[in-house]
Amino acid sequence: MPETASTTRAPDALLPSLAPLLHEWLPRQRWFAGKGRRVTGFTLDAATELLPLDGAGPGLLHLLVRVEQPSRPAGTPADCYQLVLGVRPQLPPRLAPALIGRIRQGPLAGRAVYEGLRDPRLAGLLYERLRTPGRTGPLRFHATTSLPPALAPRMLDAEQSNSSLVYGDSFILKIFRRVSPGANPDLELPLALAGAGCARVPAPVAWFESGASTLGVLQPYLRDSRDGWRLALDALADGREFTAEARALGRATAEVHLALASALPTRRLGRAETERLAAAMEHRLHAAAQAVPALLPYVPGLRAVFAAASGTTGDGVVQRIHGDLHLGQTLRGSDGGWAVIDFEGEPAKPLDERRSPQPTVRDVAGMLRSFDYAARTHRPWNADWAARCRAAFCSGYAEAAGTDPRADPALLRAYETDKAVYEVVYEARHRPDWLPVPMSAIQRLSTSP
């Protein structure tokens, strides 16, 4: 498709006319990372009309907008967000829940602006652009295979840090809301795994980007699969063991790690690096204890955990990993096979950090914490169920990897402790009723040998 004009009206007039609406709407979105901090202004990085805005039908406006918040750390750029806005003279009743507001002044005065991803016509246009690789203004669209036409879209409501559209139960498009320069790991790693022949991860079939930033990735939708979190909760509710599933999931995780190590560079893990890792963990611990005083009695024991890991090297290698692995990032198909999804890492962390090589035990620790969380949802608290799942997962991992993650208990325990400390702060701020879950791990990790 030939390149088309990306901005048919002056950005200097467009953004001020949208700003009053964005001031109200953006902080309410689940994917907005700057909650609780004052928004003082906006800067437009790019504006692209994917459908004309001044016709009788809906227009589609793609924006990359920087949100100014003076409380951000010194020297860090303002967060950039991807917005996909529909524009209509009148909004039909079926789209009323998607309304952002009506523009009062400027080039779009009098028109209704709304969340474009909730409009099937506009969401369908995004898919059609992915089917026809090429360029529209600053946006570049890529595809690795021929895609079927005219698949009906629906927006998923479960995502928090991003937005996703399912097309005809065949493909899922993840839209990254907060974007940074550089390849997003959720595109980079699945592409590398597909090249390595790893079938544990759905291979990207299309994506789009602007400059150096990945904006969205289209992958096969595993419609007959169920996520590991729901499966674990069902097993608990039915009084069933989950060790066979946990063992198989451990094997799948190891296969992904092995494929990543074969497809992307690895390097040796030195003692100085683990000393820095342990020091960073201790720093996060003290900050967490100031925020959540319930941690204070356990600080000496937790510091000892980090001290024991300082200078250890585990298996001596760091590589690309998932970065945010837990039961909710896994899918089990009708054939019983496990798939791993969502390689973006922790969205709150800088992209460079998420793309850096790390010890594989970090992913293992994340999954071990997830088994604890699942077991805690059961009444009474089923600690033995979690312990059996944790052991089975590590055994399955060892079967596939040839090395047991428990072979270096100090580093594994340090990563699990660091994760539990993070969870304490999160739960104290957002879900106080869940605080006993990580606190029980804190007690165990701070006292057990």
Side-chain angles (χ1 to χ4, degrees), residues 266-282 284 306 309-321 352-353 355-360 362 411 414-415:
T266 64
R267 60 177 172 80
R268 302 300 299 175
L269 174 64
R271 294 179 63 85
E273 186 170 356
T274 54
E275 289 172 359
R276 290 193 297 271
L277 287 171
M281 291 176 180
E282 185 170 341
R284 288 191 288 270
F306 299 141
S310 180
T312 63
T313 57
D315 63 5
V317 175
V318 290
Q319 64 165 79
R320 297 298 297 276
I321 64 171
D352 286 348
E353 182 177 341
R355 298 183 67 212
S356 64
Q358 298 174 62
T360 56
R362 180 182 170 184
L411 197 58
Y415 270 107

Side-chain angles (χ1 to χ4, degrees), residues 130-280:
L130 289 164
R131 289 186 63 240
T132 54
R135 189 176 186 121
T136 301
L139 304 181
R140 301 188 305 278
F141 296 84
H142 309 268
T144 62
T145 187
S146 177
L147 299 172
L151 295 179
R154 58 185 172 90
M155 190 174 180
L156 298 182
D157 291 321
E159 297 251 14
Q160 293 187 355
S161 57
N162 298 297
S163 299
S164 287
L165 293 159
V166 173
Y167 292 96
D169 283 341
S170 297
F171 301 102
I172 182 168
L173 173 63
K174 179 184 284 189
I175 302 289
F176 301 113
R177 289 301 195 163
R178 188 167 64 152
V179 299
S180 302
N184 192 293
D186 214 7
L187 171 64
E188 180 189 18
L189 297 188
L191 279 177
L193 288 164
C198 180
R200 294 291 187 179
V201 177
V205 295
W207 63 93
F208 69 109
E209 59 194 359
S210 176
S213 299
T214 308
L215 301 180
V217 180
L218 186 75
Q219 292 173 283
Y221 182 58
L222 307 180
R223 59 181 177 181
D224 294 325
S225 300
R226 298 189 64 203
D227 74 77
W229 176 254
R230 288 301 331 164
L231 289 170
L233 296 191
D234 287 349
L236 281 159
D238 295 342
R240 291 185 285 107
E241 285 296 306
F242 198 66
T243 51
E245 294 90 337
R247 183 182 291 268
L249 183 53
R251 289 194 296 269
T253 302
E255 290 175 18
V256 170
H257 283 164
L258 290 171
L260 285 173
S262 70
L264 297 169
T266 64
R267 60 177 172 80
R268 302 300 299 175
L269 174 64
R271 294 179 63 85
E273 186 170 356
T274 54
E275 289 172 359
R276 290 193 297 271
L277 287 171

Side-chain angles (χ1 to χ4, degrees), residues 386-410:
R388 291 191 294 272
C389 287
R390 291 154 56 88
F393 178 85
C394 289
S395 295
Y397 188 99
E399 291 169 4
T403 57
D404 194 316
R406 295 165 292 189
D408 183 38

Side-chain angles (χ1 to χ4, degrees), residues 48 51 71 126 212 232 260 262 265 267 271 276 288 293 301 314-315 318 337 340 344 358 361 384 396 401 409 414 444:
T48 308
L51 270 182
S71 54
L126 271 182
L260 285 173
S262 70
R267 60 177 172 80
R271 294 179 63 85
R276 290 193 297 271
D315 63 5
V318 290
V340 181
E344 188 181 3
Q358 298 174 62
V361 293
D384 290 339
R444 170 175 58 84

